[in-house]
């Protein structure tokens, strides 16, 4: 291996000199070339863009992260696919996994049972929700995350590299300025007219020789300064052009942000539609939430109280053409107490408003829809939906 000791020593000396300059510059002990205000504003804008882009990128990744727990070795697989520049196969989302479990449970319990058939409906909806989530994640990753990543890993790295090079050019320029200043000061001292009465001829000759040497040093330092100034100006222009390109980056990220919003709006609209369809399907099922012989459980609740929020029946419980609610009389036997599970606002005067946890008396009448009962509370009477009640023995 070709090991150049002189070059290593030179680089180490240069590094040490620049470190000293950077430490002394804030204290005013060393020369420091100041950048113009516009350039400083460009630097501050670029730094702000990088910092906020990085935060938005990381948090968007967190937003898209809730997928099913990765299997062992999944992180290594992601790393390998990234290094090979190949598309990583998408994994199952939480919604799809939940839907899969529900469908398997339905097969286990029997898809013909009320619970099993409901699991099938809900499971299919969860799978559709998971599919919509997958499309949203893929769209966001391609149209939003990728441009942000390209900026952080491409444009910003180039800007950072050129900024470091500019800083080195500035330190070199400052060093040349300091060297020239020092040489001029020494030349002025050497060129001072000596006092012949106190100075010997030999010392005068040495002084004249030193003056000539310092004059040469000034010329050399002045040449190095002009070269350093040229290199600094050239590098400053390159860096300025890159920094001004941040405006184009903002325009690009703005377009990507609009695409992200569109993808998110589509995802939520699809999810809302899927849930509305599911509610309609569940609303057509026969009532299976009420247990006519509930088993007490600790805490005063029953299995029926763990049911999902009910869907209000849409059919009329009574044939109003033959019998009005005021004419309904409680049977001699068959009345029961019921605990209200949820608040309910009466849709008309024939219904009875309910408050959660209150107790009412309920009973059925011939011809009544099975999803409804007649409820009484004191001197108030009206129709009540069965799915809002827990029947007590």
């Amino acid at each position: 291996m070709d090991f150049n000791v002189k070059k290593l020593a030179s680089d180490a000396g240069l590094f040490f000199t620049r470190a000293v300059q950077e430490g002394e510059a804030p204290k005013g002990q060393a020369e420091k070339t100041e950048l113009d205000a516009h350039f400083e504003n460009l630097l501050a804008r670029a730094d702000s863009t990088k910092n906020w882009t990085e935060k938005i990128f990381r948090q968007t990744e967190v937003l898209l992260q809730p997928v099913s727990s990765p299997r062992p070795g999944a992180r290594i697989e992601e790393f390998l696919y990234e290094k090979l520049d190949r598309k990583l196969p998408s994994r199952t989302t939480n919604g799809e996994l939940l839907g899969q479990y529900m469908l398997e449970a339905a097969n286990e319990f029997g898809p013909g049972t009320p619970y099993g058939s409901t699991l099938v409906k809900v499971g299919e909806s969860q799978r559709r929700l998971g599919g919509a989530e997958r499309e949203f994640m893929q769209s966001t990753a391609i149209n939003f995350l990728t441009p942000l990543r390209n900026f952080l890993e491409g444009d910003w790295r180039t800007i950072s590299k050129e900024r470091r090079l500019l800083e080195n050019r500035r330190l070199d320029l400052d060093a040349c300025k300091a060297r020239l200043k020092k040489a001029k000061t020494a030349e002025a001292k050497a060129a001072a007219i000596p006092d012949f009465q106190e100075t010997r001829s030999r010392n005068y000759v040495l002084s004249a020789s030193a003056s000539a040497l310092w004059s040469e040093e000034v010329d050399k330092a002045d040449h190095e300064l002009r070269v350093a100034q040229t290199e600094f100006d050239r590098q400053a222009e390159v860096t300025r052009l890159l920094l001004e390109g941040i405006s184009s980056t903002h325009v690009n990220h703005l377009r990507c942000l609009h695409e992200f919003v569109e993808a998110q709006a589509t995802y939520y609209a699809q999810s809302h539609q899927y849930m509305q369809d599911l509610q309609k399907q569940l609303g057509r099922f026969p009532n299976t939430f009420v247990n006519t012989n509930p088993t007490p459980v600790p805490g005063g609740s029953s299995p029926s109280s763990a049911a999902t929020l009910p869907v209000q029946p849409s059919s009329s419980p009574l044939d109003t053409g033959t019998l009005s609610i005021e004419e309904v009389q409680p049977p001699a036997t068959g009345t029961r107490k019921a605990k209200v599970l949820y608040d309910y606002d009466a849709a008309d005067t024939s219904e009875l408003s309910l408050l959660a946890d209150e107790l009412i008396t309920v009973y059925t009448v011939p011809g009544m829809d099975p999803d409804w009962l007649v409820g009484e509370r004191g001197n108030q009477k009206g129709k009540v939906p069965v799915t809002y009640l827990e029947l007590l023995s």
Side-chain angles (χ1 to χ4, degrees), residues 126-148:
Q126 292 300 321
R127 292 180 65 176
R128 296 172 70 188
L129 289 172
E133 181 184 10
R134 180 192 301 278
E135 293 177 0
F136 165 64
M137 293 168 59
Q138 292 176 345
S139 175
T140 301
I142 296 173
N143 299 323
F144 188 63
L145 285 182
T146 297
L148 266 59

Side-chain angles (χ1 to χ4, degrees), residues 98-111 113-127 278 282 285:
L98 176 60
Q100 177 183 342
Y101 289 163
M102 287 185 172
L103 293 175
E104 293 176 357
N107 291 331
E108 183 74 19
F109 300 143
T113 63
Y115 184 38
S117 60
T118 304
L119 279 173
V120 171
K121 297 296 183 182
V122 178
E124 289 292 345
S125 296
Q126 292 300 321
R127 292 180 65 176
L278 178 60
L282 295 181
F285 286 168

Side-chain angles (χ1 to χ4, degrees), residues 18-230:
R18 288 172 174 171
V20 172
Q21 285 181 273
E22 291 178 351
E24 292 180 348
K27 302 177 183 179
Q29 299 176 357
E31 292 283 345
K32 182 177 182 181
T33 302
E34 298 293 341
L35 301 171
D36 61 82
H38 177 64
F39 199 96
E40 292 287 355
N41 289 335
L42 290 176
L43 290 174
R45 187 169 181 239
D47 288 333
S48 179
T49 300
K50 181 261 180 182
N51 292 334
W52 285 112
T53 300
E54 194 170 43
K55 290 181 179 180
I56 293 173
F57 177 81
R58 299 303 178 196
Q59 192 57 37
T60 305
E61 281 190 324
V62 173
L63 177 67
L64 303 181
Q65 187 62 32
V67 295
S68 56
S69 300
R71 62 188 183 279
R75 298 301 181 189
I76 299 178
E77 181 185 17
E78 292 179 359
F79 176 78
L80 292 176
Y81 271 92
E82 180 179 356
K83 292 303 179 182
L84 294 174
D85 196 20
R86 296 178 60 184
K87 183 179 179 181
L88 180 68
S90 55
R91 294 198 299 267
T92 304
T93 63
N94 283 333
E96 291 173 316
L97 189 59
L98 176 60
Q100 177 183 342
Y101 289 163
M102 287 185 172
L103 293 175
E104 293 176 357
N107 291 331
E108 183 74 19
F109 300 143
T113 63
Y115 184 38
S117 60
T118 304
L119 279 173
V120 171
K121 297 296 183 182
V122 178
E124 289 292 345
S125 296
Q126 292 300 321
R127 292 180 65 176
R128 296 172 70 188
L129 289 172
E133 181 184 10
R134 180 192 301 278
E135 293 177 0
F136 165 64
M137 293 168 59
Q138 292 176 345
S139 175
T140 301
I142 296 173
N143 299 323
F144 188 63
L145 285 182
T146 297
L148 266 59
R149 182 188 293 108
N150 290 340
F151 167 74
L152 294 173
E153 297 180 355
D155 295 349
W156 182 251
R157 287 185 179 179
T158 302
I159 292 175
S160 299
K161 177 182 177 182
E162 298 300 330
R163 284 179 65 177
R164 287 193 299 269
L165 189 57
L166 176 63
E167 181 64 15
N168 291 337
R169 294 287 182 266
R170 183 188 69 79
L171 293 174
D172 293 341
L173 178 60
D174 293 343
C176 290
K177 289 180 179 180
R179 191 178 303 115
L180 178 61
K181 182 178 180 181
K182 181 179 179 181
K184 285 184 176 181
T185 302
E187 182 189 28
K189 289 182 179 180
I193 300 176
D195 188 350
F196 290 99
Q197 295 179 352
E198 300 179 359
T199 305
R200 298 179 180 179
S201 299
R202 182 172 180 275
N203 290 340
Y204 175 77
V205 173
L206 292 175
S207 177
S209 177
S211 178
L213 290 175
W214 280 116
S215 180
E216 293 180 3
E217 186 65 23
V218 168
D219 292 340
K220 180 181 178 182
D222 185 62
H223 174 71
E224 291 178 350
L225 176 61
R226 289 196 298 270
V227 173
Q229 184 70 56
T230 302

Side-chain angles (χ1 to χ4, degrees), residues 338-343 354-358 360 388-390:
K339 178 182 178 181
V340 178
L341 300 176
Y342 317 100
D343 291 345
L354 302 174
L355 294 176
D357 296 329
E358 70 173 331
I360 62 174
Y388 282 70
L389 304 174
E390 174 188 344

